[in-house]
Amino acid sequence: MTARAERTLTSPTADNAPATTRAAHTSTSPSTTSAPAKGTTAGVFEALRTQLHEAATEFADGPGALEGILRGMVDDVDRAVREPLEIFPVCHHSPASAVAMARRLREKQPKVVYLELCEDMAPLLTELRNCRLPVAVQAFASEVEGFPAEWAPLSVVAPITEASAEYQAISYALDTPGVELVLVDRSSDHVFQWQAPEAGPADEEALHGDAVGVEIGDLRPRFAELEEHLLHHGKVRHWSEWWHQYVEQPLGGSDHDTYRQVMFLIGSLFRRLAPGDPHRVTVDEDRERYMWTRMREHLAASGADPADCLYVCGAFHAASHVAEFGVEGSGDFEISPRSASRWQYGLIPSSHAAIEAQFGLASGSVSIAATEWAKNLKRTKVKPFALEGQAGAKKPRKPLPEPVAELAAADQLSGFLQRPPVLDRLDEAELLGWSVEVVRAARRNGYLSSTADAIAVFETSILLAGMRDRARPTPYDFQDAAVTCIEKDVVPGRRDVRRIVEIMMGGDRIGQVGYDALPPLARDVHDRLAPLDLKLGQRGVQRALLDIAGRPELEACSDLLWMLRYLMPHGAARPIMGERSLGERPIQESWDLALGTHQRSLIELGYEGVSVEQVVEQRLRRAAHDPQATTARVLEAVEDAIRYLHSPRLAAELGTRALEVLAGERTVDSAPEVLRRARRLLAYYRTNDPALPPWIESFVRTGYAHYCTLLPTAFTEEDATVDQVAATLGFLFSMESLALSLGCDRTQLELAVAQSHPEEPAKVALLWAAQVQLGRLTRTDLRTRCHDLLTNPLTLPSYPRYLSGFVHALEPAPSLVDFVVETISTAFAHLPDHLLLPWLPSLITTLRTKGAQHVPTLIREAARLFPARLPALDAWTPPWLAEPTPAAPRRTSAPRGVALLAAHPATCDAVADLLGCTGSWQAAAPSGVALLAKHPDTALALEALLVP
């Protein structure tokens, strides 16, 4: 998508948030110590508070800022735990969060699920049944109102994977009778309302394109020094590895209370240690106010009991300090209205790599999370939720059992923080299987690995884990061990060992949107291409053979494929055999199609219109009316309207626009392209229509006058190239006959050439060619000027540039091709070796770069003039050096001619009238015959006048 800026969702400024929000609320710094919550003096976490107080006193030389942060974190956990509406904190694409969510949904069975996701995306969630995960829910606006024009088109995506807590919540709510799913996060429109105006574009490319990513649970330190500290002391390379080691594995099999309290604690830690960026903090707090306001509105409207509800949000937002927090919140947050932008919604395919690129995760981390999800399910025996009818989902499950009775929350943090990790024997067996499998995969990719390497990988993984103070090796330890033991310093195949391990862990799984979930345009494309008998939804390249002569019904498929080639990225529809030219109909074609691979682009076409033809027409109009459009670009749109849509109406409309753009141009920069396209369009209309359309007649008439006006300036301007000046002359001379028939005056061209005074040698040669074409310079004079250039030592070094001008002159004056061959031959014949040899590279460069399109014409003319065999070359005389054949002698006297004139005087009377002579016939006199014989010039001049 052109001109779209990717902006990070977590870095907006306070300046573009709703004005009512900025005026009515003051941000509370999360780094300050919050007052103990009501009733916490004897709460379940009092023992932990006392322990933290003693630790702060011992290690910080007395209570102070450290104690304030530590006790404040416990207060945040206590406040969130005691909220009547249960808060379920999650991390985006976290297997531990997904397992805990599936377990909690079966235990609690809430009647209402509040989910931190853009509220306007709710209608799309039912279409997830028709998709293969991962996919992304997308909101798209191609025409924007109320936002900077350079932001268009706007796009927001929310990727969903199987190993995500939000998918578990969605599946439970949509497939369980009597359960309501309510999305409470800000709308897609508010995402950009609260966006920083100065947010710049990014360079990431993935299936999500340049859309803004919306995720649940952005749990990553916003304090760079904190993240660096954690990575250093955790002996890991990136944040994904730290999270997997110190959060995912400990929480993978924990109970509900432990999971919640630990996630609350982590969210509070990152919130309190975040830098005090007022813009970022303000937007985060506004999101929390927004969500709690929506939940209280729904509770008031539906009468639901908060005890029967579940609020799924990121752990960062669960430990909130805003006044609106909780069902008893006191804030009066006012939600601003949406802009007038027209938003459209759909599902697009996603992938693990796209998610990693969108949210800055380590390569392979989402695939490892998927593997960890399957392992946790096997270990904990938790049954996950999946939408009925979805690809890969099991048969409809049995009704849920009765919900488990709620127990009072207890302090699980103290025990969790003090409990050492326990080595799971299953991990050892898994590590052994990985070691064997990676060796097998390495051998398939050209590595000389053996059983000894499998043993080495196994032992090295354990060794690396021990060096990094880990109880058991992680997939990242295994990956490093495999690289060390197998790869060495040579990669024999396409994949290195690190990539092999990523593929072994699950690889880059790519989702797919099913037919029923596609927008109308995409479904129409699938229906219209059904005669090809291809699996268009399948990823990869498929070959389509179209025998249109034998099966005329395939011509409609051909038309659609050419339009898709125009609209979609390169590779989605690529012609192997066949072309679409003006006025030609296809006979046979061959295509490579990858519509499944480019499914996202096809889906986004559905946001622009209901049919491919409508989108093509809109694109052509947009290109033609773009403020930066040139005449050549508009003429290209005219050609496309004829080739793809076969629409004379649209072609006439765009042609009129080309006339307007041409009249406003002040340079000849686009003259070469204008000339080529104008010639093609004229040839098309002359062969397919009985008469030329009015717009092209007006274009030729206006173009003739326009380029006559610009010609003198183009000859003298340094910015105007020889190609552009030659194309300008080519337009004038090639369109001259039509322009004169439409009322133009040739005097315009003659005056324009007379006013041209170029100084550059190539342009001087062009001017001479134009003068020859107009009859103001003879070939003899032109030959004399070239001879003077070759014999003058001062002008000889610049002769190649003159020659370049003559080569380009073939565009406006193709009849000079024999003269150009003569000029080149003369140069080779007369230049001495010490001048010719240094000049040859320059000549070859000139012909190759500036006259490549005319070289075939020169070769054909040379083949016509020069002898076909080498022995004949020695006795060959060039035509331009051959002596002219003398005229046959004339008879000076013809007595019987006088008698013939006297017998038939009507001829002489007609000639006399033509010459304007008056007089009468006299008797024949022999003296007249003698006068003609003595002075024959008059008779010869008369003969030349009468004989054409």
Side-chain angles (χ1 to χ4, degrees), residues 487-491:
E487 186 170 292
K488 309 297 190 295
D489 57 348
V490 177
V491 180

Side-chain angles (χ1 to χ4, degrees), residues 509-585:
R509 187 176 303 172
I510 301 176
Q512 183 181 21
V513 179
Y515 175 85
D516 294 330
L518 293 173
L521 181 144
R523 291 200 301 269
D524 180 61
V525 168
H526 282 255
D527 294 341
R528 292 166 64 178
L529 294 181
L532 300 180
D533 296 328
L534 297 176
K535 297 180 180 179
L536 299 178
Q538 179 178 325
R539 293 184 60 83
V541 179
Q542 301 179 74
R543 179 63 58 86
L545 302 176
L546 282 72
D547 182 12
I548 301 173
R551 297 178 60 189
E553 67 273 11
L554 294 181
E555 185 173 356
C557 296
S558 172
D559 294 340
L560 179 58
L561 290 175
W562 283 107
M563 287 187 285
L564 291 176
R565 178 178 180 268
Y566 172 76
L567 295 172
M568 298 186 67
H570 176 73
R574 185 167 63 93
I576 304 300
M577 181 184 68
E579 62 178 355
R580 178 59 59 96
S581 303
L582 290 177
E584 295 185 2
R585 304 306 302 170

Side-chain angles (χ1 to χ4, degrees), residues 816-835:
L816 288 178
V817 60
D818 58 337
F819 176 78
V820 176
V821 173
E822 172 189 341
T823 305
I824 297 176
S825 302
T826 304
F828 275 89
H830 292 84
L831 284 177
D833 290 346
H834 69 278
L835 293 179

Side-chain angles (χ1 to χ4, degrees), residues 302 430 490 516 623 700 791 843 851 856 886:
S302 63
E430 181 183 55
V490 177
D516 294 330
V700 172
T791 56
L843 174 64

Side-chain angles (χ1 to χ4, degrees), residues 99-116:
V99 171
M101 173 63 72
R103 182 193 297 114
R104 184 56 179 165
L105 290 173
R106 292 187 180 277
E107 293 175 353
K108 183 179 178 65
Q109 299 181 22
K111 301 300 182 183
V112 179
V113 177
Y114 297 112
L115 184 61
E116 179 193 327

Side-chain angles (χ1 to χ4, degrees), residues 3-317:
R4 187 189 310 167
E6 178 172 353
R7 290 160 289 276
T8 307
L9 189 62
T10 56
S11 59
T13 65
D15 297 335
N16 61 327
T20 56
T21 301
R22 310 302 173 211
H25 301 281
T26 303
S27 299
T28 302
S29 176
S31 61
T32 59
T33 305
S34 61
K38 182 179 180 180
T40 60
T41 55
V44 294
F45 297 101
E46 189 59 29
L48 183 57
R49 287 191 183 90
T50 303
Q51 184 178 3
L52 293 177
H53 173 76
E54 295 174 354
T57 303
E58 178 179 354
F59 294 105
D61 297 329
L66 177 59
E67 181 188 6
I69 294 176
L70 296 178
R71 292 176 64 89
M73 291 164 52
V74 178
D75 292 340
D76 291 340
V77 176
D78 196 5
R79 184 188 186 196
V81 168
R82 292 184 301 102
E83 172 60 33
L85 195 161
E86 180 178 334
I87 303 173
F88 194 95
V90 300
C91 177
H92 195 49
H93 303 304
S94 166
S97 295
V99 171
M101 173 63 72
R103 182 193 297 114
R104 184 56 179 165
L105 290 173
R106 292 187 180 277
E107 293 175 353
K108 183 179 178 65
Q109 299 181 22
K111 301 300 182 183
V112 179
V113 177
Y114 297 112
L115 184 61
E116 179 193 327
L117 194 62
C118 293
E119 58 184 1
D120 52 337
M121 294 181 174
L124 275 180
L125 299 182
T126 57
E127 295 297 337
L128 290 174
R129 304 178 190 276
N130 303 312
C131 304
R132 185 174 67 243
L133 299 181
V135 297
V137 186
Q138 182 182 41
F140 189 91
S142 56
E143 298 179 1
V144 300
E145 296 184 27
F147 302 108
E150 60 270 15
W151 285 12
L154 306 179
S155 181
V156 178
V157 296
I160 299 175
T161 64
E162 293 181 2
S164 59
E166 57 266 35
Y167 176 68
Q168 294 299 307
I170 292 170
S171 301
Y172 165 79
L174 295 183
D175 283 350
T176 305
V179 177
E180 184 178 4
L181 178 65
V182 182
L183 306 187
V184 295
D185 200 2
R186 56 182 174 168
S187 68
S188 304
D189 196 88
H190 286 90
V191 169
F192 290 94
Q193 283 188 28
W194 299 358
Q195 189 63 283
E198 67 275 8
D203 299 326
E204 296 173 0
E205 289 293 337
L207 287 178
H208 300 166
D210 45 7
V212 172
V214 176
E215 57 176 311
I216 296 179
D218 179 18
L219 276 186
R220 186 164 187 166
R222 298 184 181 179
F223 190 25
E225 287 78 2
L226 172 60
E227 181 171 342
E228 182 180 354
H229 177 83
L230 293 175
L231 297 183
H232 174 72
H233 289 277
K235 298 181 180 181
V236 295
R237 293 165 298 172
H238 43 71
W239 176 251
S240 300
E241 187 175 355
W242 187 95
W243 182 266
H244 178 271
Q245 171 66 23
Y246 295 101
V247 179
E248 284 294 333
Q249 288 190 357
L251 291 182
S254 62
D255 59 89
H256 173 63
D257 289 339
T258 302
Y259 168 82
R260 288 184 69 210
Q261 294 172 22
V262 171
M263 293 296 284
F264 286 143
L265 184 70
I266 296 175
S268 177
L269 171 66
F270 291 164
R271 192 183 190 101
R272 289 180 173 275
L273 294 183
D277 183 353
H279 308 313
R280 195 166 187 174
V281 171
T282 301
V283 171
D284 285 334
E285 293 184 348
D286 283 343
R287 290 183 66 188
E288 293 156 8
R289 296 185 177 102
Y290 195 108
M291 290 187 283
W292 280 109
T293 300
R294 288 301 194 202
M295 285 187 283
R296 285 202 301 271
E297 290 175 353
H298 180 269
L299 289 172
S302 63
D305 185 356
D308 295 331
C309 303
L310 186 68
Y311 171 34
V312 183
C313 68
F316 187 88
H317 298 292

Side-chain angles (χ1 to χ4, degrees), residues 517-666:
L518 293 173
L521 181 144
R523 291 200 301 269
D524 180 61
V525 168
H526 282 255
D527 294 341
R528 292 166 64 178
L529 294 181
L532 300 180
D533 296 328
L534 297 176
K535 297 180 180 179
L536 299 178
Q538 179 178 325
R539 293 184 60 83
V541 179
Q542 301 179 74
R543 179 63 58 86
L545 302 176
L546 282 72
D547 182 12
I548 301 173
R551 297 178 60 189
E553 67 273 11
L554 294 181
E555 185 173 356
C557 296
S558 172
D559 294 340
L560 179 58
L561 290 175
W562 283 107
M563 287 187 285
L564 291 176
R565 178 178 180 268
Y566 172 76
L567 295 172
M568 298 186 67
H570 176 73
R574 185 167 63 93
I576 304 300
M577 181 184 68
E579 62 178 355
R580 178 59 59 96
S581 303
L582 290 177
E584 295 185 2
R585 304 306 302 170
I587 299 177
Q588 285 185 338
E589 291 180 352
S590 176
W591 290 80
D592 275 353
L593 301 181
L595 297 183
T597 304
H598 296 84
Q599 192 180 49
R600 165 182 167 263
S601 299
L602 180 61
I603 290 172
E604 290 187 348
L605 288 181
Y607 301 151
E608 301 184 45
V610 296
S611 67
V612 175
E613 288 79 4
Q614 181 186 6
V615 176
V616 171
E617 184 171 339
Q618 290 176 353
R619 293 270 186 98
L620 293 177
R621 281 200 176 95
R622 192 182 307 128
H625 291 275
D626 188 276
Q628 304 300 324
T630 62
T631 305
R633 181 66 188 90
V634 181
L635 289 179
E636 181 184 4
V638 175
E639 288 189 59
D640 292 339
I642 298 173
R643 289 191 301 166
Y644 300 136
L645 299 178
H646 312 292
S647 174
R649 171 192 56 80
L650 182 59
E653 176 187 335
L654 300 179
T656 305
R657 171 61 181 168
L659 183 61
E660 298 172 359
V661 175
L662 177 65
E665 290 185 345
R666 294 296 177 262

Side-chain angles (χ1 to χ4, degrees), residues 733 753 756 766-777 785:
F733 285 121
V753 173
S756 302
L766 275 177
L767 180 62
W768 291 348
Q771 290 173 344
V772 172
Q773 192 75 3
L774 288 174
R776 293 183 173 273
L777 187 68
R785 294 184 181 184

